[in-house]
Amino acid sequence: MKITYPHMGSLNMILKTMFEGINVEVVEPPPVTNKTLSIGVKYSPEFVCLPYKINLGNFIEALENGADTIIMLGGIGPCRFGYYGQAQKETLIDLGYKFNMIILDPPHGRLVDFLKELSSYFPDVYWKDALKAFIFAVQKMIIADKFEKKLLILRAHENEIGITTKIFEDYMEKIKNAKNKKELDSIYKEGLEKLKQNATIKREIQLKVALVGEIYLMLEPFSNLDILRSLNELGIEVTKTDFLSDYLINSAFKLPQRMEFKKYAHGYLERDIGGHGLNTVANTVKYAEKNYDGIIQIFPFTCTPEIVAQGIIAKVSSDKNIPVMSLSYDEKTGEAGYQTRLEAFKDLLERRRLKNIKKY
């Protein structure tokens, strides 16, 4: 078996660690590029969303590199994501590829059942080896997310544009290749210290923005034109409201985060509308109440849950007196136009801060 999967932020690192830990050969999909997107667009329905197209491009590139098994999440619900795997499988078969496709439903609080289903595809793997590989993969995921959270604050203060991104990428590669928990902790500590040493600029007005929206766009930098880096390099500290560890751990263990979302969204949205629409509304309220300077929502063009949320957070913006900007992405999105919008948003937030300072 030569297994592959779609890219989604640090997911590649996590799955590679887990499968190689049980001696399954991994064919990593090449990093997402314009070529990946072009392939995906060519063979996808026109109005399907951007993550579908990028995922399909990932699969085709990996199959061309020798993969023979694809693993993908499925599921049910109002979001189209649940159908991606099956639709992509049919497209790949029509294109003449020979492969097996494993489509798993997300755990939704039933982690043991999820692992049992997953293990049924690998009957020769001893369960203790599988558990050990799974735990180490989760440890890497948590460290990687913790490191990125620090980056999103410190990069806004970097002494030289690009230097903290370079440090972050170097240390993420080290995290990817780490062999045990002790090594992981050491890499994190050393990497964080290097970030701090190269991020010492202080500003009189320090802006803070929360990024909300659809999970794939939040996690995969290529899909959002690396908006986090753009905001940081404008001197803005960013709080990303969803990380891979949040998504997977909450899905696996059904932690009370969902209750927190419902609490914050109360009065604006009283039910789950699919995708991450509820999260978007709740996080907009939450960070408005934390006195952030602004909120940016990102989502794929035609994403129904986020379009519904977009209308609701406009009301939150008015009620809580906080600027909100919504950005949708597809394969035709141009980087220059989006950069101009980010710079204009920053100017707006700075003017508001100055106005508030003059009041006192």
Side-chain angles (χ1 to χ4, degrees):
M1 178 187 292
K2 296 179 180 178
I3 201 162
T4 193
Y5 38 75
H7 274 296
M8 191 170 81
S10 59
L11 182 66
N12 172 42
M13 175 172 67
I14 312 310
L15 293 181
K16 182 176 166 56
T17 298
M18 192 171 77
F19 286 120
E20 289 187 343
I22 56 173
N23 297 315
V24 172
E25 186 175 350
V26 171
V27 177
E28 292 181 70
V32 184
T33 62
N34 286 329
K35 179 186 172 189
T36 312
L37 179 58
S38 296
I39 294 170
V41 169
K42 183 176 180 180
Y43 297 112
S44 298
E46 182 180 358
F47 288 106
V48 77
C49 62
L50 184 62
Y52 179 104
K53 294 169 183 171
I54 296 175
N55 287 175
L56 185 61
N58 290 151
F59 295 152
I60 291 175
E61 289 187 314
L63 290 171
E64 293 288 344
N65 286 347
D68 60 22
T69 303
I70 295 170
I71 191 158
M72 179 71 177
L73 280 178
I76 57 173
C79 176
R80 292 179 291 184
F81 173 79
Y83 307 111
Y84 280 11
Q86 193 59 45
Q88 289 162 336
K89 179 181 177 181
E90 296 301 321
T91 299
L92 293 170
I93 290 172
D94 288 345
L95 290 172
Y97 291 104
K98 307 293 184 191
F99 62 99
N100 294 317
M101 193 151 189
I102 300 170
I103 302 175
L104 299 167
D105 283 348
H108 290 317
R110 298 164 58 91
L111 179 62
V112 173
D113 293 338
F114 176 80
L115 292 177
K116 277 182 183 174
E117 185 185 357
L118 179 60
S119 64
S120 69
Y121 294 100
F122 308 94
D124 298 330
V125 175
Y126 187 44
W127 71 270
K128 282 189 176 177
D129 292 336
L131 185 61
K132 184 179 174 185
F134 175 75
I135 290 173
F136 189 43
V138 170
Q139 288 171 336
K140 277 193 181 183
M141 174 178 65
I142 291 171
I143 284 285
D145 285 353
K146 193 174 165 186
F147 194 37
E148 188 184 359
K149 285 176 186 175
K150 296 292 184 183
L151 172 76
L152 298 181
I153 301 301
L154 291 168
R155 188 163 53 187
H157 304 272
E158 63 184 354
N159 302 338
E160 177 187 336
I161 294 292
I163 191 166
T164 55
T165 301
K166 176 73 170 58
I167 293 168
F168 177 74
E169 290 173 349
D170 289 346
Y171 277 84
M172 284 295 282
E173 189 65 24
K174 290 181 182 181
I175 291 171
K176 182 180 177 183
N177 296 322
K179 301 300 181 195
N180 53 57
K181 179 67 165 56
K182 185 178 178 183
E183 190 180 349
L184 270 181
D185 291 339
S186 174
I187 292 168
Y188 171 73
K189 189 175 175 185
E190 184 181 308
L192 179 57
E193 190 57 35
K194 283 209 171 186
L195 284 180
K196 287 179 177 175
Q197 288 170 0
N198 288 278
T200 59
I201 291 177
K202 306 285 184 191
R203 294 182 180 82
E204 288 186 16
I205 296 178
Q206 182 55 59
L207 300 175
K208 288 194 300 184
V209 163
L211 191 73
V212 303
E214 191 269 341
I215 185 73
Y216 186 88
L217 267 287
M218 296 275 280
L219 298 182
E220 178 51 53
F222 178 88
S223 68
N224 61 38
L225 305 176
D226 211 349
I227 188 173
L228 293 166
R229 180 174 179 172
S230 299
L231 289 168
N232 282 157
E233 291 184 353
L234 288 171
I236 301 172
E237 293 181 359
V238 184
T239 295
K240 190 167 83 170
T241 55
D242 265 315
F243 283 82
L244 187 62
S245 54
D246 299 326
Y247 173 66
L248 294 182
I249 293 174
N250 279 289
S251 177
F253 297 107
K254 215 165 188 174
L255 294 177
Q257 190 187 33
R258 211 73 184 164
M259 296 306 294
E260 184 191 39
F261 289 148
K262 287 184 177 176
K263 183 189 86 173
Y264 277 109
H266 178 63
Y268 294 101
L269 181 62
E270 306 298 343
R271 53 160 297 189
D272 194 341
I273 54 173
H276 282 68
L278 180 64
N279 309 33
T280 295
V281 173
N283 281 320
T284 301
V285 175
K286 178 179 177 179
Y287 287 94
E289 292 179 353
K290 283 177 176 280
N291 294 321
Y292 272 55
D293 294 287
I295 307 287
I296 297 179
Q297 178 201 21
I298 57 173
F299 58 96
F301 180 63
T302 74
C303 176
T304 304
E306 292 296 331
I307 291 170
V308 174
Q310 182 183 10
I312 297 171
I313 63 176
K315 177 75 166 67
V316 177
S317 171
S318 173
D319 291 350
K320 305 287 182 184
N321 190 28
I322 184 169
V324 173
M325 179 167 71
S326 297
L327 300 172
S328 68
Y329 295 78
D330 66 8
E331 65 274 18
K332 297 182 180 67
T333 300
E335 189 168 0
Y338 273 53
Q339 182 65 25
T340 302
R341 293 185 66 182
L342 295 182
E343 290 170 4
F345 193 63
K346 179 197 171 191
D347 290 345
L348 168 71
L349 301 185
E350 279 183 335
R351 285 199 302 275
R352 282 170 53 90
R353 269 286 197 96
L354 283 170
K355 190 176 172 185
N356 288 335
I357 289 171
K358 285 175 184 174
K359 279 184 183 175
Y360 302 99

